[in-house]
Amino acid sequence: MGKEKPGFLTPKAIANRIKAKGLQKLRWYCQMCQKQCRDENGFKCHLTSESHQRQLLLFAENPDKHIDSFSKDFETEYLELLRRRFGTKRVHANLVYQEYISFREHVHMNSTQWETLTDFVKYLGKEGKCVVDYTEKGWFITYIDRDPETIRRQEAVKAKEKMDADDDEKIAKFIERQIERAKESSTEKEEHQCTELKREDESEKIVLTLNTTKKADPGIKKIEPSTSNNPLMLVDKVSEKLKSVTSSSHKTEKRKTKTALEEIMEVEEKKKEKINRKDYWLCPNIVVKVVHKKLGEKYYKKKAVVKEVRDLYTGIIKMLDSGDKLKVDQSHVETVIPAIGKTVMVVNGAYRGEEATLEAIDEKNFSCTITIKHGLVAGRVVSGVQYEDICKLNSES
């Protein structure tokens, strides 16, 4: 009797499956048949097989067609990996190639029109699909993204940065004017200094004349001296007026100084708001709600945790109930407002990226009040924060 076939769970069968699953040597791969052989003996057997001979006959009829097809597939998959993995960053060409060939079913370069990776990189630079430069460490490439949506976003970001720069100049000029105004007010105070009352001749006496009235007849009414004719009362009244004027002037000066400081603080707050206000708000470890029905009724109105953010506007989320992972745009989800006293993340606005505690909710104005927890502004209470500017933090982190 012949030998029995090894079982499914024997060490030899497991080793064979592991070898078949992993990557094998390139020289034992047939691109036409898309067949990977494990060793040289198997590859020789494949070359003599009938199926391989039929594929060779098809290739011989029109070799340029097959080579162009393989070249196009290789170029498309390589550029797609470069765009998704690295975006528009400058990266070593061989690093992208090593990630590309880690996929078992990739198109091999020896079946394309390019003999080496250097030839392929030069081709990308010549066609204007990538920015190519050569250094001592090798060839580096930068993907040129011509997607209309990406171009629109980049132009919007540049326009916003330009507007922020103009606003910064205006704010700087305004602060300079406030400083100049404060300097002028300080110089005026120094010029008008109060001095003591001094007499030129100390021997000179101060004489006060009083109007004496004769005793009136019983039938005549007694007339009290008027304020205008009494010098002592006039002096007291003038001194009281001077005191009231000086106290009111001090109060107005303090009020003006306080108003100027408040204006500067308000301007700084607006400046921080414009700098940190972006059209994207996704960030890791926040809880969001799916509001897009096209993702399926299974996920609609369900909550998820953002695990990763890609290209600023796209996120990888994990559903809290089912554990499924989805790739969504930020327009497919919305922020979640927790209960009062819980920790939230400020995802947009002046305090973007800060953790805070939710203190109160104003349902009429769709806003809330928060207290910053960390950083230089820890303990600051901020009111009037819109719902979409804060989001619940994942408590499991």
Side-chain angles (χ1 to χ4, degrees), residues 20-277:
K21 185 177 180 181
L23 293 173
Q24 306 294 331
K25 289 187 178 181
L26 178 63
R27 59 178 177 173
W28 296 332
Y29 181 82
C30 178
Q31 185 67 59
M32 280 297 299
C33 304
Q34 296 182 356
K35 169 81 174 173
Q36 176 69 63
C37 299
R38 197 175 301 172
D39 51 22
E40 187 177 2
N41 185 35
F43 188 64
K44 285 181 179 180
C45 294
H46 171 71
L47 294 180
T48 58
S49 65
E50 185 180 353
S51 61
H52 179 72
Q53 296 297 327
R54 286 198 301 268
Q55 293 293 333
L56 285 182
L57 292 175
L58 292 174
F59 180 79
E61 291 178 1
N62 193 353
D64 294 337
K65 177 182 177 182
H66 292 281
I67 292 176
D68 291 342
S69 176
F70 292 141
S71 301
K72 185 177 180 181
D73 293 342
F74 178 83
E75 178 187 347
T76 302
E77 293 174 3
Y78 186 92
L79 291 177
E80 181 66 16
L81 175 64
L82 177 63
R83 183 186 69 82
R84 287 189 291 102
R85 177 68 175 82
F86 300 99
T88 56
K89 296 179 181 178
R90 181 174 176 268
V91 64
H92 201 287
N94 191 45
L95 178 62
V96 185
Y97 180 71
Q98 293 300 324
E99 290 196 16
Y100 172 71
I101 64 176
S102 62
F103 177 61
R104 188 182 181 195
E105 304 296 332
H106 72 276
V107 178
H108 291 68
M109 182 172 283
N110 59 359
S111 62
T112 64
Q113 62 183 357
W114 305 288
E115 295 181 359
T116 61
L117 182 62
T118 301
D119 295 338
F120 176 64
V121 171
K122 290 180 179 179
Y123 163 80
L124 293 178
K126 184 178 179 182
E127 293 294 325
K129 297 180 180 180
C130 293
V131 177
V132 178
D133 60 315
Y134 180 75
T135 63
E136 296 178 355
K137 296 182 179 180
W139 289 94
F140 286 83
I141 57 176
T142 305
Y143 181 71
I144 301 175
D145 197 346
R146 291 189 171 87
D147 185 15
E149 184 66 19
T150 305
I151 294 173
R152 184 187 65 79
R153 288 178 177 177
Q154 290 177 353
E155 291 178 352
V157 170
K158 290 180 180 178
K160 196 168 185 180
E161 289 177 353
K162 186 178 180 182
M163 290 176 62
D164 292 341
D166 296 339
D167 293 338
D168 293 343
E169 293 178 359
K170 292 179 181 178
I171 292 169
K173 291 180 180 178
F174 176 77
I175 293 174
E176 288 179 0
R177 288 198 299 268
Q178 292 289 342
I179 293 172
E180 291 177 358
R181 193 180 300 172
K183 288 181 178 179
E184 290 177 358
S185 62
S186 63
T187 54
E188 289 177 359
K189 289 177 183 177
E190 290 177 358
E191 290 177 358
H192 301 284
Q193 293 181 352
C194 299
T195 59
E196 296 180 358
L197 179 62
K198 293 182 179 180
R199 291 181 293 175
E200 295 180 357
D201 189 1
E202 294 182 357
S203 61
E204 185 179 356
K205 295 180 180 180
I206 299 174
V207 180
L208 298 176
T209 57
L210 298 175
N211 290 333
T212 57
T213 55
K214 295 180 179 179
K215 289 184 178 181
D217 295 333
I220 300 174
K221 292 181 179 181
K222 187 177 180 181
I223 302 173
E224 297 292 336
S226 63
T227 306
S228 59
N229 296 328
N230 194 339
L232 289 174
M233 295 179 70
L234 282 173
V235 170
D236 293 337
K237 195 169 185 179
V238 170
S239 62
E240 289 177 359
K241 285 186 177 180
L242 285 173
K243 289 180 180 178
S244 62
V245 169
T246 53
S247 61
S248 62
S249 63
H250 285 301
K251 288 180 181 178
T252 53
E253 286 177 0
K254 289 182 180 178
R255 195 180 295 114
K256 287 180 180 178
T257 307
K258 185 178 179 181
T259 305
L261 291 174
E262 287 178 352
E263 287 180 0
I264 293 174
M265 291 177 65
E266 186 178 353
V267 169
E268 289 294 331
E269 193 77 16
K270 290 181 179 179
K271 177 183 175 182
K272 187 186 290 187
E273 170 73 19
K274 290 184 178 180
I275 292 174
N276 293 331
R277 175 69 60 179

